[in-house]
Amino acid sequence: MRTATVERKTTETKISCTVNLDGEGRFDVKTGVGFFDHMMEQLARHLQIDITLRADGDLHIDDHHTVEDSGIALGQAIAK
């Protein structure tokens, strides 16, 4: 199977992302940003890949760093 896990830690966020490109559209996404979680779930479902994503970010400031770093980690896991 084509799987990869990426851990990304910055001063603003701590991200863990696992992707299985040969998956079935399963998802387990918890970032604290509701709409972003929903979009990641739709991505997994419609691409038929499995995504597990955990993000702990500075949401008390805004969603920007959490969404940005999650996207970077997801892209790195897919490329890996």
Side-chain angles (χ1 to χ4, degrees):
M1 277 198 236
R2 298 174 297 160
T3 63
T5 298
V6 169
E7 305 282 335
R8 178 175 174 81
K9 186 171 181 177
T10 68
T11 56
E12 295 90 8
T13 62
K14 182 180 176 186
I15 312 290
S16 174
C17 181
T18 300
V19 173
N20 175 2
L21 296 180
D22 300 311
E24 299 175 0
R26 294 184 186 133
F27 50 84
D28 185 7
V29 179
K30 290 181 179 49
T31 67
V33 183
F35 181 71
F36 184 64
D37 289 356
H38 171 71
M39 295 309 293
M40 290 296 96
E41 292 165 359
Q42 296 307 303
L43 188 68
R45 179 178 287 129
H46 294 293
L47 289 176
Q48 291 293 293
I49 64 174
D50 298 341
I51 299 174
T52 301
L53 179 65
R54 292 285 182 277
D56 182 23
D58 59 355
L59 296 178
H60 61 286
I61 296 174
D62 70 13
D63 302 345
H64 173 86
H65 294 126
T66 300
V67 172
E68 178 182 35
D69 289 343
S70 294
I72 291 169
L74 177 64
Q76 290 174 337
I78 290 171
K80 201 173 182 183

